[in-house]
Amino acid sequence: MTMRIKEILKSAEIQSTITVEGWVKTKRELKAFSFIEISDGSTMDGIQVIIDKDLADYDNIIKQLNTGASVSAEGLVVESPGKGQRIEVQASAVTVHGGADPETYPLQKKRHSFEFLRTIGHLRGKTNTLGAVMRVRNACSTAIHQFFQEKGFLWAHTPIITASDCEGAGEMFAVTNFDIANPKRSKDGTIDYAEDFFGRPAYLTVSGQLEAEVMAMSFKDVYTFGPTFRAENSNTSRHLAEFWMVEPEMAFCDIIGDQDLAEEFLRYIFKYVLETCPEDMEFFDKRIDKTVLGTAQNIIDNDFARITYTEAIALLEKSNKTFEFPVEWGIDMQSEHERYLAEELFKKPLIVTNYPKDIKAFYMRLNNDEKTVAAMDVLVPKIGELIGGSQREERLDILEQRIKEMNIEADDLWWYLDLRRFGTVPHAGFGLGFERLVQFMTGMANIRDVIPFPRSPLNAEF
RNA sequence: UCCUCAGUAGCUCAGUGGUAGAGCGGUCGACUGUUAAUCGAUUGGUCGCAAGUUCGAAUCUUGCCUGGGGAGCCA
């Protein structure tokens, strides 16, 4: 295997002969020779290759080496006399694998809008910004696994297809092998799901949490990291129909331990990415959002603010700001409220805990005041809710009571309730929207630009 | 789904009732160890789609489609 360009730029020895493989970023033709900049996605910078006019078939090769063409170039590594790069390659043999007609190749040597790049999703990974995004995204994934593995968490592969429609986290996509124009029907005309593949209605998962709880009851500390699906007709810069979610779940853990983990987790990831992708992070800070590096450092250096929901409402009430949605105890906080707290008041991530029970899910642990539950949201500037978690209700009688109050079908949850019958224990966990994390970290304004193949309403082209 | 703004050359946009424009890109040439090279010339259009008003519509009206921003829902 040949060296990646990142390695070549870092450690190729002067006067050694190497082979560069990649795609042409720019070509600059001079009279006696040409400069070709080649990149392979391993790093932001390309490598400069000099092709001398003496090279066999020079005119034909140069004619093909337009932006986007694929090429292998063998040559001698030399110190670069020009500014802007330490080394360059004096080509001795060049193979063009595939040209890219400049009349029709959509990527130009200039800035493109992200809206336009979304229309050429199959090519946009070749751009500086999307390249940097994908490398940071990769580093985030690695950091997540490394963080949990170092702590002894078990990576639990929770199902993508689920038959329980009681997860309560949003609209679901149906999964069926019926001919949807002609599904099997009962005598009364309704669709007969007993005849469907699973013998019952099935859906794409909206959360792996309930299954993660199952795994935590055997393995103590577990996490999920996989795709999640929401069918809401939601069109915003922070929603996807298919996104990746990270969900740790810890037995013998309360809401305080949950918050501690969330904070340590985010700090670890930011640190890892700053160490492994410094050029990409500098690029974001310089070209995308000037607060990127400051935000990262802020997370690494400072504790998150921690307040209760009740305190948050009090802060909003005395803020003297007029909100579109009026503030009073019991409301579900709106985006404008969360953003005020995170962006203006605290100017850093904050964790809000102990929300009113009526606005939270059935599985969250009821507090002693019997009005609030042990929920926690991590709110960050610009994104809003990055993490949502809770201590889970481990007491069977109270959980059954809550399920009844919220009119949820308890029969479907028999296995979930069994966890409280057989060796129940206080436990807690949270869910993190992976793309929101990448968005927050890179400063990218639209979540569709931090995933290679975004899925959103009317968008599944690539 | 709601509110709002937009859709004109490959890209980014100007043109707001009277002959469709600029910059970038592409092409050709010149020049130069260049680096989003530079300079000159040149190329390029079903003005989102459909209907309507008008002597005349990119421009005004209506409907639809698509995209951006915001909201809701959520991670």
Side-chain angles (χ1 to χ4, degrees):
Chain A
M1 213 168 83
T2 55
M3 273 168 106
R4 300 298 301 269
I5 289 169
K6 183 178 184 178
E7 272 311 298
I8 293 172
L9 290 173
K10 206 169 80 184
S11 54
E13 284 176 33
I14 305 293
Q15 291 302 314
S16 62
T17 298
I18 61 163
T19 300
V20 177
E21 293 170 334
W23 292 265
V24 176
K25 209 141 198 188
T26 69
K27 169 178 70 174
R28 292 177 287 275
E29 276 186 78
L30 279 65
K31 206 159 225 166
F33 57 97
S34 293
F35 295 103
I36 308 290
E37 192 182 330
I38 297 174
S39 60
D40 68 353
S42 61
T43 183
M44 177 80 59
D45 297 318
I47 186 157
Q48 179 160 285
V49 175
I50 283 75
I51 302 179
D52 203 87
K53 205 154 197 169
D54 297 340
L55 194 87
D57 207 18
Y58 176 83
D59 288 339
N60 183 35
I61 286 169
I62 288 301
K63 206 174 169 188
Q64 293 180 74
L65 287 180
N66 296 303
T67 302
S70 51
V71 62
S72 298
E74 191 187 285
L76 200 62
V77 177
V78 297
E79 280 181 52
S80 178
K83 285 176 190 161
Q85 61 279 318
R86 185 179 66 85
I87 57 166
E88 61 190 29
V89 175
Q90 291 278 358
S92 51
V94 175
T95 306
V96 183
H97 301 280
D101 182 0
E103 302 252 18
T104 51
Y105 186 62
L107 287 172
Q108 303 170 359
K109 289 186 280 184
K110 62 175 229 176
R111 260 188 88 84
H112 285 296
S113 67
F114 293 121
E115 291 88 338
F116 171 66
L117 292 176
R118 271 172 232 145
T119 69
I120 48 167
H122 57 312
L123 299 173
R124 66 178 186 165
K126 297 168 184 289
T127 63
N128 286 341
T129 305
L130 267 292
V133 166
M134 292 311 148
R135 285 186 294 273
V136 166
R137 184 183 166 102
N138 175 65
C140 282
S141 305
T142 306
I144 286 165
H145 284 300
Q146 197 169 296
F147 173 78
F148 287 125
Q149 293 298 328
E150 281 173 6
K151 284 186 154 326
F153 280 58
L154 183 105
W155 182 18
H157 299 127
T158 49
I160 286 171
I161 298 173
T162 174
S164 70
D165 61 355
C166 45
E167 286 166 344
E171 298 288 315
M172 303 171 100
F173 288 103
V175 175
T176 180
N177 71 341
F178 277 159
D179 171 3
I180 58 166
N182 188 24
K184 292 182 178 146
R185 294 181 186 277
S186 313
K187 282 176 184 154
D188 62 2
T190 56
I191 292 174
D192 186 5
Y193 286 103
E195 291 291 317
D196 200 356
F197 190 89
F198 296 104
R200 58 167 81 183
Y203 309 90
L204 293 178
T205 185
V206 292
S207 164
Q209 185 204 311
L210 302 190
E211 291 89 351
E213 283 187 56
V214 169
M215 296 298 279
M217 290 301 114
S218 301
F219 300 94
K220 191 166 181 283
D221 295 330
V222 305
Y223 69 105
T224 74
F225 186 6
T228 308
F229 307 86
R230 303 276 168 92
E232 279 114 1
N233 188 6
S234 187
N235 293 285
T236 80
S237 57
R238 35 179 216 291
H239 282 89
L240 290 166
E242 176 182 301
F243 64 99
W244 286 61
M245 190 147 71
V246 179
E247 294 170 295
E249 192 70 35
M250 296 166 286
F252 304 94
C253 180
D254 63 12
I255 190 71
I256 305 295
D258 204 25
Q259 293 170 70
D260 291 344
L261 184 85
E263 201 171 329
E264 190 185 346
F265 171 72
L266 288 176
R267 194 164 288 134
Y268 184 99
I269 296 168
F270 271 87
K271 213 169 164 182
Y272 181 90
V273 172
L274 280 187
E275 281 166 10
T276 54
C277 304
E279 301 92 356
D280 294 324
M281 291 300 285
E282 276 159 30
F283 173 84
F284 291 120
D285 193 69
K286 199 171 157 194
R287 303 291 283 274
I288 302 295
D289 177 348
K290 300 216 182 305
T291 67
V292 159
L293 287 177
T295 299
Q297 208 55 52
N298 187 13
I299 285 184
I300 291 167
D301 294 341
N302 298 300
D303 290 342
F304 294 5
R306 297 190 188 192
I307 60 173
T308 65
Y309 170 88
T310 303
E311 288 164 345
I313 293 295
L315 288 170
L316 290 169
E317 279 173 337
K318 69 175 186 188
S319 69
N320 289 326
K321 269 189 80 91
T322 42
F323 295 108
E324 190 189 340
F325 295 89
V327 175
E328 66 171 315
W329 200 95
I331 60 154
D332 205 354
M333 276 196 276
Q334 304 292 319
S335 284
E336 57 173 346
H337 305 138
E338 295 179 348
R339 292 186 64 155
Y340 168 75
L341 292 171
E343 283 170 29
E344 295 184 46
L345 204 55
F346 287 95
K347 295 188 166 67
K348 63 177 181 180
L350 81 150
I351 307 179
V352 181
T353 52
N354 299 327
Y355 284 77
K357 65 173 182 176
D358 294 335
I359 59 171
K360 288 293 184 183
F362 73 92
Y363 50 73
M364 296 189 180
R365 192 179 195 277
L366 190 65
N367 287 323
N368 290 337
D369 61 14
E370 299 199 350
K371 292 191 307 193
T372 61
V373 290
M376 66 134 190
D377 284 357
V378 178
L379 309 180
V380 300
K382 293 192 180 111
I383 309 291
E385 188 181 341
L386 179 65
I387 284 176
S390 67
Q391 186 173 341
R392 321 305 188 187
E393 184 56 76
E394 85 283 9
R395 298 161 296 187
L396 181 62
D397 53 335
I398 296 173
L399 183 58
E400 283 177 328
Q401 181 59 34
R402 291 280 289 145
I403 286 172
K404 210 177 208 173
E405 279 171 20
M406 299 179 88
N407 289 318
I408 294 165
E409 189 54 64
D411 290 351
D412 293 344
L413 286 168
W414 66 273
W415 49 272
Y416 187 74
L417 292 168
D418 258 8
L419 300 177
R420 279 73 182 166
R421 292 190 181 98
F422 309 123
T424 193
V425 69
H427 62 292
F430 62 77
L432 165 109
F434 181 61
E435 284 74 18
R436 285 193 184 169
L437 172 68
V438 179
Q439 220 188 328
F440 179 49
M441 186 170 290
T442 59
M444 293 294 288
N446 195 310
I447 200 164
R448 295 168 196 191
D449 300 325
V450 298
I451 185 169
F453 304 100
R455 294 287 175 266
S456 58
L458 299 175
N459 181 8
E461 180 73 18
F462 303 101

